[in-house]
Amino acid sequence: MWPFLTAAIFLAASINRGSSLIGEQCLSVNIESCSGSLDLCPKGVTHCFSGRENYTAGPNVVLTALKGCVDPAKQVTCGKEVGFTSPALSLWITQNCCDSNECNRHKIHVPPVKLTANGYKCPTCFTDQSSDGCTPTEDLLCTGKEDQCATLTGSAIRPDVPLKGYSIRGCATKNACDVGIVSLATTKAYNLDLKCFSSNKV
């Protein structure tokens, strides 16, 4: 009887472990890749990811490398290049997803951000005093895949910066317009809203 119970318990544990995805988990700042421990993803998670976030505010540039389990609500961002640029702030988020154990255990590879002008322009402005919008003061020449105009509003706590309301207008990728800004590892964002509209030819 006891050998049977022991075997049954072992089998159940194996099945439970086997039903959860195993992925590498890490986060490193100002480095292009990272490595960490292999851990079980939460129940219901079907994908792991590896990616980078490039966040620029004025002269400050923060590059973040990340690996982990994909929140099912954020799976829509898999394989998407989410970019938004203004003179005062820009960000670029890329993550590749996979669906097998330890599939994100490799060096992070993402395509380089293209900075060549693409023939489009957008009205631009910035304020860190309100999330109610700002009035454009000039046009911004868009680059790379950022061929949409967008307004980004919300509140955020950035490294060494307290909670503030932000309103920014600039250029965005179509992917950003489709999925929104759903991940910022080094910034706590609240009610972040990205609204897009057609860009103008230069």
Side-chain angles (χ1 to χ4, degrees):
M1 183 66 177
W2 286 111
F4 174 77
L5 286 175
T6 301
I9 292 170
F10 178 79
L11 178 61
S14 298
I15 290 174
N16 286 336
R17 181 177 177 84
S19 64
S20 295
L21 192 63
I22 299 172
E24 186 173 16
Q25 317 272 339
C26 62
L27 184 154
S28 296
V29 178
N30 294 328
I31 193 169
E32 293 189 347
S33 192
C34 66
S35 60
S37 61
L38 292 172
D39 295 312
L40 286 173
C41 293
K43 185 177 180 181
V45 170
T46 59
H47 287 71
C48 297
F49 78 92
S50 61
R52 288 194 206 126
E53 295 180 2
N54 193 322
Y55 177 87
T56 302
N60 301 314
V61 179
V62 179
L63 176 67
T64 307
L66 308 101
K67 294 180 185 178
C69 305
V70 179
D71 182 332
K74 298 180 180 179
Q75 195 168 314
V76 66
T77 64
C78 289
K80 303 291 175 64
E81 294 178 86
V82 175
F84 176 84
T85 298
S86 75
L89 179 148
S90 67
L91 57 92
W92 194 272
I93 303 168
T94 305
Q95 66 176 27
N96 299 312
C97 301
C98 52
D99 60 1
S100 59
N101 285 333
E102 302 181 29
C103 60
N104 65 340
R105 196 179 185 186
H106 52 70
K107 185 176 180 180
I108 297 173
H109 292 286
V110 298
V113 179
K114 295 182 179 179
L115 300 176
T116 306
N118 60 21
Y120 294 95
K121 64 179 180 179
C122 293
T124 184
C125 57
F126 170 85
T127 179
D128 60 1
Q129 302 299 314
S130 170
S131 59
D132 294 329
C134 59
T135 302
T137 55
E138 59 183 337
D139 284 334
L140 174 68
L141 297 179
C142 300
T143 61
K145 295 183 179 181
E146 294 180 336
D147 58 1
Q148 307 287 308
C149 294
T151 299
L152 180 63
T153 58
S155 300
I157 300 174
R158 292 173 24 224
D160 302 320
V161 179
L163 179 67
K164 287 186 176 184
Y166 292 88
S167 297
I168 314 159
R169 294 185 70 164
C171 303
T173 60
K174 187 178 184 302
N175 284 164
C177 297
D178 291 341
V179 304
I181 309 297
V182 296
S183 176
L184 283 174
T186 59
T187 300
K188 292 183 180 180
Y190 305 91
N191 302 317
L192 210 56
D193 185 31
L194 184 74
K195 289 188 168 76
C196 294
F197 50 98
S198 298
S199 55
N200 301 309
K201 285 283 189 178
V202 175

